[in-house]
Amino acid sequence: MHDESRRIEERVQRLHDQRIKSAIYAATVPFEVEAWQAPGEPVPFEEAAAASYAPFAMGTPWGPPWGTTWFRMRGQVPEAWAGKRVEAVIDLGFVGDWPGNQAEALVHLTDGTPLKAVNPLNQYVAIANPATGGETVEYLVEAASNPDILADNFSKTTPLGDILTAGDKPLYTFRSADIAILDEEVWHLDLDVQVLRELMLELGEHDPRRHEIAHALDRAMDLLDLDDVSGSAPAVREALKPVLSKPAHASAHTVSGVGHAHIDSAWLWPIRETKRKTSRTFSNVTSLADEYDDFIFACSQAQQYEWVRDNYPKVWARIQESVKNGQWAPVGGMWVESDGNLPGGEAVARQFIHGKRFFMEHFGIETKGVWLPDSFGYNAAYPQIAKLAGNEWFLTQKISWNQTNRFPHHTFWWEGIDGTRIFTHFPPVDTYNARFSGEEMSRAVRNYQEKGGASRSLAPFGWGDGGGGPTREIMERARRLADLEGSAKVIVEHPDEFFAKAREEYPDAPVWVGELYLELHRATYTSQARTKQGNRRSEHLLREAELWATTAALHAPGYSYPHEKLDRLWKTVLLHQFHDILPGSSIAWVHREAEAEYARVARELQALTAEALAALGSGTTRVFNTSPYDRAEVVHTADGAPVYVEVPASGSAPLVDAEPPQPVTVSGRVLDNGLVRVEVAEDGTLSSVRDLRANREVLADPGNLLRLHTDLPNYWDAWDIDKHYKNRYTDLLDASSVTVVEQDPLVGAIRVERDFGKGSKITQTITVRAGSPRIDIETDIDWHETEKILKAAFPVDIRAPHSSAEIQFGHIQRPTHTNTSWEAARFEVSGHRWVHIGEPGYGVAVINDSTYGHDVSRTVREDGGTTTTVRLSLVRAPRIPDPEADQGRHRFTYALLPGATIEDAVAEGYALNLPLRVADAAGAPAPVVSTEGEGVTVEAVKLADDASGDVVVRLYESRGGRARGVLRTGFPLAGAQITDLLERPLEEAPVDGDGAVPVELRPFQILTLRLRRS
């Protein structure tokens, strides 16, 4: 037989694209359209319905950036269309085919009922099936003219990312708004041909099935009457039935399809637009559920449900009905799909607490899995946190984006830092926006790493990132692929069902230990530094407010614990931990609003803490320590005078001078407190840091070396830092001044000022205080660079085989060598409050109050010694998607801690992030709780969420070893329970004869205790 493959493939493609698709709608009549441009921000339906509309013609430009135009559409179904399937078809002037980053609209009935959204891939709204003929149709359509930030494929900067800079030129030209007949036979033919053609092209040249499909399509096309596509469509479909009905091989891979609509809570649009995106997408989804009984939709992010509940009650009611019918599956159990690296441990716990409680309260459903497809890597504490929140499985897709190494598993057990394991799956289809194309199905089978051990994978299907969700075309593809020779089999099912089957099939799945590090998007640890600082400070202010509110609730008659205010503030912080807000990868508008929200949160939390302390009475100036460690350090009074104080963990003490071990001396550019001696060079670097306790020099080369690197990644400016950034740099060695600014027995400080680059300035104050080996570097940057990254380096004379970086509820060790490609790929990593390096008998920590990104490397010197260098990533200057990212003022502190153990690093990390607070208080209430035992660290103290008055304490083992100790209370204790994160009892905790709770923890174990008061 002659090979006619090319002719057939080209013929089928042209007939499909040019003739079949164009015949899907058999006839149309136009709507009569009027328009009203809403001024400013979006308005409620009632206001739009009462507005004055003007005639609007097709082909007219509309829609300024971020604007809202309401269209009133009126029309009548022709009498002759009785018995037909009739739809409204609306084209707002869509650009490209991505639903989420351009014009989109929500169609309402005139009584305000939302019907369905329209977007490039979902332009229809059902009118009647069948029509009686003569129906009057009237809609109010809320159209959002969101700009296409992705235009030019992120290759150019754009002012469109903020309403303040976007201008008012219309972005779109309205193409059409019609009432139309859907020719169902042609529509089904279109899908038959698509599925077969795509399958054919994925099969091998020597696969008989490929040629069988090709010749069947060729013969079917002979039956297509180009002058009457509609009339000939049934015959063409009949000719294709034999190849569409051949069953899949018995050993074919099974793809469990789960409807999904990934909606970024903010990204290339502001939060206010996400609220509308949820209504549009969820309207589409509930509409599709009405059409397809076998449709199942998985949806995460409790925050988005709450937005719909509060703003679109009719859509909310439809969601509730779909949940009852089993077609809508709440998943994920988190308040938002947060970043996987940057939120603190308690914040990740609260993501699950608030998310799972929302689903339980409103749907009576406890979610079983973590649905987190798009975050930029996942910390190694996740398995334990997830299991303590009642989860059984974990799903993500993002690791398939790895730049260097291919992850070796798709189904596996993920083991966290404490030993907890959770059953995990990475969909081999490598997308959370699947549409069941032939290429996707082939990719899923080809990629699947578990062949021979397991035979099923999951595919989230539906258009996403900016929402949109599944379409009827995707559902039809799934039906055709349910059992089709040459393809994987598709079954639409709940993700819980998939995970149950996968675990039963593959109980001995392999184990991956430690973090799921994404070898991409490493700059998200640093971009938009003020957003990250706002998050860090909010987390610690929340901790502080909860502790002192609990103290006041126990000891101050008449004080009422602010449950509702704390709940609201936590939810605000959790929202801004979304995986495009906190990582710094959103448009300018998002980060401008985030900074304002963090400032508001800080004011409210400061006020709550002040109210709690005021409730304790007044008359004595006291120092309050929120840290879980005893403190002996210098604090400043209201008039700025330094005082050396000793304050117990989670407690308070009078503001009374204590005797420091040794005063600070300042001689020239040398600071000495008897523990460390710091020499500042003329160029402003640290020329020497000598640990006087260990009698050793800490630095191998000048420390606090500021290095300005050129930073232009290959792609994704705000997201990525590529390895070549290291090759071009300037060391900032020209100090304009080096000045002693504080010289006191308790404090010595030297200020270094530098001007550099494009008008940037950095002022650093290097401070040594009595009684502490910690060397603080308070930093004030006026930053005006572009496409640069600023790093601060500490080259330490230590041979460290690995670095340890704090993560949620513990720390993770990473090799300092690059023996393998996996280690080399970790050239930029994340950590929280500290990074520690050490050799037997000696260690050094670098502490910070708002920095996450860093790198650690080592070299061997000519003298045979080893230099291990820790470098903090301080600030970047990407230009896409926010052309002004990070410009302006930054203030933060980082510190060098010589002679530090891991426990020292933990304690000083808390101390730097939880500064001592000076306030008036009458009495000296005992700390709510105190602990004895090394490594037993309290992370949260609060009243129980059920308003019972019980005290809830969350603690963990922080050193990485076993810990034994006791927890004592500052109130009469009636009993104690060990609970899960949602404060539900797991077992009774023993209480000894002294009223203390014995505690025994494995390495990095998290323990939540519920303490009943007498």
Side-chain angles (χ1 to χ4, degrees), residues 808-830:
Q808 296 81 350
F809 296 110
H811 58 267
I812 188 170
Q813 294 181 343
R814 300 179 177 110
T816 54
H817 60 73
T818 55
N819 281 358
T820 71
S821 59
W822 293 88
E823 292 142 1
R826 286 173 166 85
F827 59 82
E828 181 81 1
V829 291
S830 66

Side-chain angles (χ1 to χ4, degrees), residues 19-31:
R19 300 304 174 92
I20 297 173
K21 290 192 77 67
S22 62
I24 288 175
Y25 286 104
T28 63
V29 294
F31 276 103

Side-chain angles (χ1 to χ4, degrees), residues 480-522:
R480 286 161 174 78
L481 293 169
D483 192 13
L484 182 61
E485 184 186 353
S487 173
K489 295 180 287 189
V490 173
I491 178 173
V492 177
E493 63 180 347
H494 194 294
D496 286 348
E497 294 180 21
F498 162 76
F499 274 95
K501 293 174 183 176
R503 183 169 175 174
E504 182 181 5
E505 178 186 47
Y506 203 27
D508 58 344
V511 176
W512 180 269
V513 179
E515 67 182 328
L516 294 174
Y517 176 85
L518 177 63
E519 297 174 0
L520 198 71
H521 294 358
R522 304 168 181 91

Side-chain angles (χ1 to χ4, degrees), residues 381-443:
Y382 252 122
Q384 182 181 193
I385 299 171
K387 291 295 282 289
L388 287 173
N391 293 293
E392 300 173 0
W393 53 261
F394 187 98
L395 176 135
T396 185
Q397 175 268 324
K398 202 68 172 188
I399 303 300
S400 68
W401 286 36
N402 270 5
Q403 203 171 37
T404 304
N405 297 284
R406 184 182 183 189
F407 195 82
H409 312 299
H410 282 105
T411 301
F412 59 100
W413 290 96
W414 180 19
E415 182 179 311
I417 52 174
D418 72 308
T420 299
R421 293 179 177 179
I422 191 167
F423 196 70
T424 302
H425 181 69
F426 293 171
V429 71
D430 281 358
T431 180
Y432 47 78
N433 297 324
R435 62 183 185 90
F436 296 130
S437 69
E439 189 276 332
E440 287 173 349
M441 299 298 288
S442 177
R443 186 196 320 146

